[in-house]
mmCIF file of all heavy atoms in Angstrom:
data_model
loop_
_atom_site.group_PDB
_atom_site.id
_atom_site.type_symbol
_atom_site.label_atom_id
_atom_site.label_comp_id
_atom_site.label_asym_id
_atom_site.label_seq_id
_atom_site.Cartn_x
_atom_site.Cartn_y
_atom_site.Cartn_z
ATOM 1 N N GLU M 177 -21.558 -10.161 -39.644
ATOM 2 C CA GLU M 177 -22.382 -9.999 -38.450
ATOM 3 C C GLU M 177 -21.560 -10.057 -37.166
ATOM 4 O O GLU M 177 -21.881 -10.785 -36.216
ATOM 5 C CB GLU M 177 -23.507 -11.041 -38.434
ATOM 6 C CG GLU M 177 -24.408 -10.943 -39.644
ATOM 7 C CD GLU M 177 -25.551 -11.948 -39.614
ATOM 8 O OE1 GLU M 177 -25.630 -12.698 -38.624
ATOM 9 O OE2 GLU M 177 -26.339 -11.969 -40.562
ATOM 10 N N THR M 178 -20.518 -9.274 -37.142
ATOM 11 C CA THR M 178 -19.696 -9.158 -35.945
ATOM 12 C C THR M 178 -19.394 -7.698 -35.700
ATOM 13 O O THR M 178 -19.765 -6.838 -36.493
ATOM 14 C CB THR M 178 -18.387 -9.967 -36.082
ATOM 15 O OG1 THR M 178 -17.733 -10.026 -34.820
ATOM 16 C CG2 THR M 178 -17.455 -9.320 -37.105
ATOM 17 N N ARG M 179 -18.750 -7.423 -34.591
ATOM 18 C CA ARG M 179 -18.361 -6.053 -34.267
ATOM 19 C C ARG M 179 -16.867 -5.992 -34.025
ATOM 20 O O ARG M 179 -16.253 -6.964 -33.581
ATOM 21 C CB ARG M 179 -19.094 -5.564 -33.012
ATOM 22 C CG ARG M 179 -20.575 -5.331 -33.225
ATOM 23 C CD ARG M 179 -21.194 -4.673 -32.012
ATOM 24 N NE ARG M 179 -22.630 -4.479 -32.206
ATOM 25 C CZ ARG M 179 -23.429 -3.886 -31.324
ATOM 26 N NH1 ARG M 179 -22.917 -3.427 -30.196
ATOM 27 N NH2 ARG M 179 -24.714 -3.748 -31.567
ATOM 28 N N LEU M 180 -16.306 -4.852 -34.310
ATOM 29 C CA LEU M 180 -14.916 -4.623 -33.958
ATOM 30 C C LEU M 180 -14.795 -4.624 -32.437
ATOM 31 O O LEU M 180 -15.687 -4.145 -31.735
ATOM 32 C CB LEU M 180 -14.447 -3.287 -34.513
ATOM 33 C CG LEU M 180 -14.568 -3.098 -36.031
ATOM 34 C CD1 LEU M 180 -14.222 -1.665 -36.412
ATOM 35 C CD2 LEU M 180 -13.680 -4.074 -36.773
ATOM 36 N N SER M 181 -13.715 -5.169 -31.936
ATOM 37 C CA SER M 181 -13.531 -5.187 -30.483
ATOM 38 C C SER M 181 -13.345 -3.765 -29.979
ATOM 39 O O SER M 181 -12.838 -2.892 -30.696
ATOM 40 C CB SER M 181 -12.322 -6.036 -30.115
ATOM 41 O OG SER M 181 -11.114 -5.382 -30.494
ATOM 42 N N PRO M 182 -13.759 -3.474 -28.720
ATOM 43 C CA PRO M 182 -13.513 -2.142 -28.171
ATOM 44 C C PRO M 182 -12.036 -1.752 -28.222
ATOM 45 O O PRO M 182 -11.714 -0.590 -28.493
ATOM 46 C CB PRO M 182 -14.022 -2.266 -26.732
ATOM 47 C CG PRO M 182 -15.064 -3.330 -26.788
ATOM 48 C CD PRO M 182 -14.557 -4.316 -27.807
ATOM 49 N N ALA M 183 -11.136 -2.719 -27.978
ATOM 50 C CA ALA M 183 -9.703 -2.404 -28.013
ATOM 51 C C ALA M 183 -9.283 -1.966 -29.406
ATOM 52 O O ALA M 183 -8.492 -1.019 -29.558
ATOM 53 C CB ALA M 183 -8.889 -3.614 -27.563
ATOM 54 N N PHE M 184 -9.791 -2.634 -30.452
ATOM 55 C CA PHE M 184 -9.494 -2.268 -31.840
ATOM 56 C C PHE M 184 -9.950 -0.834 -32.096
ATOM 57 O O PHE M 184 -9.192 0.003 -32.599
ATOM 58 C CB PHE M 184 -10.204 -3.240 -32.780
ATOM 59 C CG PHE M 184 -9.938 -3.021 -34.240
ATOM 60 C CD1 PHE M 184 -9.076 -3.862 -34.937
ATOM 61 C CD2 PHE M 184 -10.563 -1.995 -34.948
ATOM 62 C CE1 PHE M 184 -8.835 -3.680 -36.298
ATOM 63 C CE2 PHE M 184 -10.323 -1.799 -36.299
ATOM 64 C CZ PHE M 184 -9.458 -2.642 -36.972
ATOM 65 N N ALA M 185 -11.208 -0.546 -31.733
ATOM 66 C CA ALA M 185 -11.772 0.782 -31.999
ATOM 67 C C ALA M 185 -11.000 1.867 -31.254
ATOM 68 O O ALA M 185 -10.689 2.922 -31.817
ATOM 69 C CB ALA M 185 -13.248 0.802 -31.596
ATOM 70 N N VAL M 186 -10.679 1.613 -30.001
ATOM 71 C CA VAL M 186 -9.990 2.619 -29.195
ATOM 72 C C VAL M 186 -8.567 2.833 -29.690
ATOM 73 O O VAL M 186 -8.088 3.974 -29.764
ATOM 74 C CB VAL M 186 -9.993 2.194 -27.708
ATOM 75 C CG1 VAL M 186 -9.104 3.109 -26.879
ATOM 76 C CG2 VAL M 186 -11.422 2.217 -27.166
ATOM 77 N N TYR M 187 -7.883 1.756 -30.048
ATOM 78 C CA TYR M 187 -6.514 1.888 -30.537
ATOM 79 C C TYR M 187 -6.477 2.708 -31.820
ATOM 80 O O TYR M 187 -5.647 3.621 -31.968
ATOM 81 C CB TYR M 187 -5.903 0.512 -30.779
ATOM 82 C CG TYR M 187 -4.475 0.563 -31.281
ATOM 83 C CD1 TYR M 187 -3.417 0.747 -30.400
ATOM 84 C CD2 TYR M 187 -4.183 0.427 -32.642
ATOM 85 C CE1 TYR M 187 -2.103 0.807 -30.848
ATOM 86 C CE2 TYR M 187 -2.873 0.489 -33.106
ATOM 87 C CZ TYR M 187 -1.842 0.673 -32.211
ATOM 88 O OH TYR M 187 -0.545 0.741 -32.666
ATOM 89 N N VAL M 188 -7.375 2.407 -32.772
ATOM 90 C CA VAL M 188 -7.417 3.157 -34.028
ATOM 91 C C VAL M 188 -7.709 4.629 -33.757
ATOM 92 O O VAL M 188 -7.041 5.529 -34.289
ATOM 93 C CB VAL M 188 -8.472 2.557 -34.981
ATOM 94 C CG1 VAL M 188 -8.713 3.490 -36.179
ATOM 95 C CG2 VAL M 188 -8.034 1.186 -35.479
ATOM 96 N N ALA M 189 -8.703 4.904 -32.919
ATOM 97 C CA ALA M 189 -9.063 6.289 -32.628
ATOM 98 C C ALA M 189 -7.911 7.033 -31.959
ATOM 99 O O ALA M 189 -7.665 8.209 -32.250
ATOM 100 C CB ALA M 189 -10.307 6.333 -31.741
ATOM 101 N N ALA M 190 -7.178 6.364 -31.066
ATOM 102 C CA ALA M 190 -6.049 7.018 -30.393
ATOM 103 C C ALA M 190 -4.928 7.346 -31.374
ATOM 104 O O ALA M 190 -4.305 8.419 -31.284
ATOM 105 C CB ALA M 190 -5.522 6.116 -29.276
ATOM 106 N N GLU M 191 -4.677 6.443 -32.325
ATOM 107 C CA GLU M 191 -3.642 6.706 -33.324
ATOM 108 C C GLU M 191 -4.038 7.882 -34.222
ATOM 109 O O GLU M 191 -3.200 8.731 -34.563
ATOM 110 C CB GLU M 191 -3.408 5.453 -34.174
ATOM 111 C CG GLU M 191 -2.826 4.267 -33.424
ATOM 112 C CD GLU M 191 -1.398 4.517 -32.985
ATOM 113 O OE1 GLU M 191 -0.477 4.329 -33.800
ATOM 114 O OE2 GLU M 191 -1.207 4.915 -31.810
ATOM 115 N N VAL M 192 -5.307 7.948 -34.610
ATOM 116 C CA VAL M 192 -5.774 9.068 -35.440
ATOM 117 C C VAL M 192 -5.713 10.367 -34.642
ATOM 118 O O VAL M 192 -5.320 11.417 -35.171
ATOM 119 C CB VAL M 192 -7.204 8.802 -35.952
ATOM 120 C CG1 VAL M 192 -7.747 10.028 -36.698
ATOM 121 C CG2 VAL M 192 -7.215 7.582 -36.871
ATOM 122 N N ALA M 193 -6.091 10.314 -33.372
ATOM 123 C CA ALA M 193 -6.015 11.512 -32.531
ATOM 124 C C ALA M 193 -4.571 12.005 -32.427
ATOM 125 O O ALA M 193 -4.320 13.212 -32.413
ATOM 126 C CB ALA M 193 -6.584 11.221 -31.144
ATOM 127 N N ASP M 194 -3.622 11.080 -32.368
ATOM 128 C CA ASP M 194 -2.219 11.467 -32.313
ATOM 129 C C ASP M 194 -1.803 12.187 -33.596
ATOM 130 O O ASP M 194 -1.085 13.193 -33.561
ATOM 131 C CB ASP M 194 -1.357 10.223 -32.098
ATOM 132 C CG ASP M 194 0.080 10.555 -31.716
ATOM 133 O OD1 ASP M 194 0.280 11.434 -30.865
ATOM 134 O OD2 ASP M 194 1.005 9.942 -32.289
ATOM 135 N N ALA M 195 -2.270 11.672 -34.748
ATOM 136 C CA ALA M 195 -1.979 12.328 -36.022
ATOM 137 C C ALA M 195 -2.621 13.706 -36.089
ATOM 138 O O ALA M 195 -2.012 14.676 -36.561
ATOM 139 C CB ALA M 195 -2.469 11.458 -37.180
#
Side-chain angles (χ1 to χ4, degrees):
E177 301 182 1
T178 190
R179 290 188 181 182
L180 302 173
S181 71
F184 183 104
V186 171
Y187 180 81
V188 169
E191 294 292 277
V192 174
D194 193 45

